[in-house]
Each structure stands twice: as C-alpha cells, then as structure tokens.
Amino acid sequence: CACCKDKHASHKTAQPAPATAPHLHGTTASEAPAYDFEYEGAFSGIVLSVMRHQGMDVQLTLGAGENTFEVLVAPMDWLDQKHVVFRTGDKVNVVGSRQEGAPNAIIAREILTADQTVVVRDANGRALWN
C-alpha cells in the first residue's frame, strides 16, 4: 500500500484495493478491534494480496466475484509461531465480522484454506493471541 511501499520492498499487492475499501493496514495487536456477532457472516474468495508487517496484523485482500474485501487476520508474529502461511491465489473461506460503516472490512474469526484451518478468535470473538 502507499503508506509503506518505500519501507518494504517485499510488500507486493496483486491488485490494489478499491478506493472505497477501508484502510485497516497498520492495526497492531494491542489495537485489536472488537468482534461484533451482529455483523458475522461467511465469505469465500481468492487471496489477491497478503500484507505482512512486523509488529502488525496480517491483512488479506480477498476477491469474491466483483467484490473485494480487506480481511484483518491476526498479528504476524503470532501466525508465524503457528506456522500459518497465506499465499496469493489461495481459495479461502472466512468466518468473520463486517465492520459497521465499512462493509468491505472483515475481522476474521476463522479461515479455511485447502490445507489448513486457522482459528484466530474464540467462540466469544476474543482474540486468541491476547
């Protein structure tokens, strides 16, 4: 994204997020947003990009037909300890909560890929890394 392209040469985006997408990038583990079950749903799509930055949450850009979603996953260090890897082109199913006022922003609770199930929040929506 434009906010860090000069700092991270390895930060590549397969397709830029639309101008209407919220900018979730930069969320730190201590700033984990609240999970709201009122807006929970299931989303499927293809990973268009993976944003990984030390000390911040991993964020996926998910393409689903004509729509693009920004999926906030979990802190990079926590995912690395669990050997979780997301790749562009992966087909994923996400159980997550849309953000009020930002329908294209999703906070993930569970992500399923062809070879892994990643649970990042418990049944009450609490972040597992806290």
Side-chain angles (χ1 to χ4, degrees):
C1 59
C3 69
C4 65
K5 69 179 180 175
D6 296 328
K7 293 187 234 172
H8 302 282
S10 64
H11 180 66
K12 298 188 190 289
T13 303
Q15 176 179 331
T20 58
H23 190 72
L24 292 174
H25 177 67
T27 304
T28 65
S30 62
E31 299 170 351
Y35 192 89
D36 189 344
F37 283 93
E38 181 178 346
Y39 298 104
E40 183 175 70
F43 308 87
S44 296
I46 304 295
V47 176
L48 301 176
S49 71
V50 179
M51 288 190 273
R52 293 175 44 89
H53 296 285
Q54 194 67 33
M56 294 187 200
D57 286 331
V58 170
Q59 182 176 322
L60 307 176
T61 300
L62 185 66
E66 297 288 320
N67 298 317
T68 303
F69 298 97
E70 298 300 321
V71 181
L72 190 62
V73 182
M76 185 179 85
D77 296 339
W78 185 82
L79 292 170
D80 288 347
Q81 288 174 356
K82 302 223 175 277
H83 307 287
V84 173
V85 177
F86 297 104
R87 295 176 189 84
T88 57
D90 282 352
K91 180 172 175 28
V92 298
N93 296 309
V94 177
V95 174
S97 174
R98 288 184 186 220
Q99 294 296 283
E100 184 176 9
N104 290 348
I106 300 167
I107 298 173
R109 185 164 62 87
E110 184 174 303
I111 301 174
L112 293 89
T113 68
D115 58 357
Q116 62 185 343
T117 297
V118 182
V119 178
V120 296
R121 292 177 177 266
D122 66 17
N124 295 313
R126 288 187 298 258
L128 296 178
W129 60 89
N130 287 337

